[in-house]
Amino acid sequence: MASDTPRPHYDQNRAAVLFAISLVMGAPALAGPGTAIETGWGEPHLPIIPRTQVERDRVAAVTAPPTDLGTPEFFEDRTGGSATHFDTYTTTPFSLPSANMPADRDLDFRIGNGFFEKLWVASPSSTTASDGLGPLYNARGCKSCHIRDGRGHPPETPQDTGVSMVLRLSVPDTASPLKPGVLATLPNAPDPVYGLQLQDKSIAGVPAEGRIDVTWTDRPVTLGDGTVMRLRAPTYTIQNPGYGPLHPDLQISPRIAPQMIGLGLLEAIPEADILALADPDDIDGDGISGRPNRVWSLEYGQWMLGRFGLKAGQPTLAQQSADAFANDIGISTPPHPDHWGDCTAAQSLCRAAPHGGTGNDELLEIPALGLDLVTFYTRNLAVPARRDLQTPETLRGKRLFHDSGCAACHRPKFVTHRLDGQPEQSFQLIWPYTDMLLHDMGAELADNRPEADANGREWRTPPLWGIGMTKAVSGHTMFLHDGRARSLSEAILWHGGEAAGSQESFRTMSADDRAALIAFLNAL
């Protein structure tokens, strides 16, 4: 629950008026990168009220890069717009609802949270609303991986099951028995035996698929001032495969659970604003070649912009949630109605096991209403307010962030769609620090596993909002897609490919400048 203590020196009405003034200043719109992608794929999931040309021009002015980096920008502390929470006393800063959520929607948020926290049990069970686990699974509930709605971590010891990390699997299309028409709408060709994800747990009588094993190799990096930092490079293997030899062309991709805040606001960013940042051929010559992922929507039966997942492989929050239920927990939903989850035809015991699709008229383990409530919950997890944004060190770090080119991919600002019936996400100035596009991050961060249009070296720019609260929420500071970086400094030093210039700028900074840049990130 949010604290009843008002935030000192903060006036919501004044903030709303100032934001309205900022949108009518009439400053000229700025041109985007070299060549924008003009044609989108549609946003049928959003109740959009179209912007006027005047609004588009004014929004462009508000979201333009700052001209004065010596002072905080207007509303920079309101990271999620009016949905931002300012509760500095809470012990669960990633688990509060949108601050602007109407009171009559609070019950939906709480019920959705109940589904998110639910621990599922195997069928048959007297608890028909909670049975249907597996038969193969990685966790018994969403919160098992997204602890306190925060970031996961890789297994640190052989005894650590790595519950907040999964290993995505696939084979090249040429090695798949599936027909080309089927493969065309899948993000990956599943392994014929092990499917799209390694499930390291199972119900009684069904063998688990195997266990992730990680070994680490030290990789020293010498900074410009002579300081030596030691990165750790992971090597992943699958131990004790439960269904026979692994495919010789198996592709694997380790993924830790991401933090959950601000997802509804990311979903509400206009597709056109994201596509306008794409420059796949680097026409403007800045070395940044961001491009969108195009993915198939199971809900709407059409191609859409990929927004969610580490490679932007999911178009909507509902599909992202349904995919997690199917692959992580083995729970059926309308987009994924198979009760056996990710079990393949080669896993006959799994497919023949009892299921839990008997407690509702839809004969699904989570019917449409339940999935809607989970989606509402994940859409409305509020972003905490910025901290320490006026200190000299933070402002110095912000300037270094921009001067080093970090903001070329980690775009600070967007204004969300004006939406009918979604006041929490409607027409908000937000500060997620992402462009939502794919970027080549170099050979060292490559998983060599494509996903839809993303290749094996590309990752979606992750949002940075709330990153400085990772330790408080998750109890660790492990970053990047597989948690290999044990600090923000290590994460930056792993950057390559399009981010190589920014990485080199950080590597050659003075110790004071590095500390200032990290202070800025910790204030986000």
Side-chain angles (χ1 to χ4, degrees), residues 61 83 97 114 116 136 175 211 217 241 313 351 435 443 452 457 473 477 494 506:
F116 200 81
L136 297 175
R211 178 176 59 82
T217 304
R351 290 207 171 187
D435 59 6
R457 292 167 57 107
V473 173
T477 54
W494 272 111
F506 179 78

Side-chain angles (χ1 to χ4, degrees), residues 136-399:
L136 297 175
Y137 63 97
N138 295 104
R140 290 182 55 201
C142 306
K143 289 255 181 170
S144 300
C145 294
H146 302 280
I147 300 169
R148 301 173 74 194
D149 297 295
R151 187 184 306 271
H153 63 86
E156 292 295 292
T157 67
Q159 291 73 38
D160 186 346
T161 59
V163 70
S164 53
M165 167 182 269
V166 298
L167 204 62
R168 297 294 258 175
L169 309 175
S170 59
V171 296
D173 286 359
T174 54
S176 174
L178 298 177
K179 295 180 179 180
V182 175
L183 289 172
T185 56
L186 294 177
N188 300 87
D191 181 281
V193 175
Y194 289 90
L196 283 170
Q197 187 164 301
L198 183 79
Q199 282 88 26
D200 58 357
K201 299 178 180 63
S202 61
I203 65 172
V206 177
E209 291 186 318
R211 178 176 59 82
I212 305 173
D213 187 64
V214 189
T215 57
W216 305 97
T217 304
D218 276 357
R219 182 168 298 179
V221 175
T222 302
L223 306 184
D225 59 5
T227 302
V228 177
M229 289 191 64
R230 294 192 174 276
L231 309 184
R232 56 174 190 172
T235 300
Y236 298 94
T237 56
I238 297 173
Q239 301 294 322
N240 305 320
Y243 294 86
L246 301 172
H247 196 285
D249 298 321
L250 183 66
Q251 301 164 327
I252 66 172
S253 182
R255 313 278 179 93
I256 63 168
Q259 63 187 29
M260 298 295 295
I261 55 173
L263 297 180
L265 296 168
L266 297 179
E267 189 174 44
I269 297 173
E271 178 188 271
D273 292 355
I274 297 170
L275 297 182
L277 298 173
D279 186 16
D281 299 318
D282 193 20
I283 300 300
D284 62 3
D286 67 351
I288 306 299
S289 306
R291 64 191 191 96
N293 203 355
R294 185 187 71 147
V295 299
W296 184 255
S297 168
L298 298 174
E299 300 166 84
Y300 301 103
Q302 69 172 64
W303 296 105
M304 291 177 62
L305 172 69
R307 294 174 184 259
F308 302 106
L310 291 162
K311 287 181 180 279
Q314 297 291 349
T316 67
L317 277 176
Q319 188 161 317
Q320 169 74 9
S321 296
D323 183 81
F325 275 119
N327 291 306
D328 300 350
I329 315 176
I331 297 296
S332 57
T333 60
H336 292 289
D338 292 334
H339 300 300
W340 52 74
D342 189 42
C343 298
T344 67
Q347 297 168 325
S348 55
L349 284 175
C350 175
R351 290 207 171 187
H355 60 76
T358 57
N360 56 78
D361 293 340
E362 296 173 48
L363 301 181
L364 294 170
E365 288 157 341
I366 295 184
L369 178 59
L371 183 61
D372 288 346
L373 289 166
V374 172
T375 302
F376 183 80
Y377 172 73
T378 59
R379 181 179 290 138
N380 280 290
L381 284 166
V383 183
R386 280 281 308 275
R387 302 157 306 285
D388 302 324
L389 72 167
Q390 299 190 58
T391 68
E393 186 176 42
T394 299
L395 290 170
R396 179 181 174 187
K398 180 179 178 180
R399 179 179 295 278

Side-chain angles (χ1 to χ4, degrees), residues 98-111:
S98 301
N100 58 349
M101 190 172 72
D104 61 358
R105 294 158 77 93
D106 183 66
L107 181 60
D108 287 350
F109 182 85
R110 292 177 181 276
I111 296 174

Side-chain angles (χ1 to χ4, degrees), residues 393-514:
E393 186 176 42
T394 299
L395 290 170
R396 179 181 174 187
K398 180 179 178 180
R399 179 179 295 278
L400 291 164
F401 183 86
H402 283 264
D403 290 349
S404 299
C406 304
C409 298
H410 290 283
R411 294 276 176 158
K413 294 176 284 185
F414 289 93
V415 173
T416 60
H417 272 303
R418 190 187 296 280
L419 300 172
D420 183 21
Q422 286 184 214
E424 304 89 354
Q425 292 82 40
S426 182
F427 213 50
Q428 302 297 323
L429 173 63
I430 63 173
W431 305 73
Y433 286 87
T434 174
D435 59 6
M436 303 289 283
L437 296 172
L438 299 170
H439 294 276
D440 183 334
M441 294 300 293
E444 292 190 326
L445 282 183
D447 65 351
N448 300 308
R449 179 183 183 267
E451 185 170 336
D453 285 350
N455 67 39
R457 292 167 57 107
E458 289 179 316
W459 300 96
R460 184 203 64 163
T461 307
L464 297 181
W465 51 14
I467 198 167
M469 303 189 79
T470 300
K471 178 70 173 179
V473 173
S474 302
H476 64 77
T477 54
M478 298 183 193
F479 301 105
L480 301 178
H481 65 279
D482 57 0
R484 69 178 65 189
R486 294 161 294 188
S487 67
L488 290 172
S489 294
E490 286 190 17
I492 296 170
L493 291 171
W494 272 111
H495 282 48
E498 296 174 46
S502 297
Q503 185 259 26
E504 181 64 6
S505 177
F506 179 78
R507 190 188 69 82
T508 56
M509 283 180 187
S510 68
D512 288 345
D513 281 351
R514 292 197 306 274

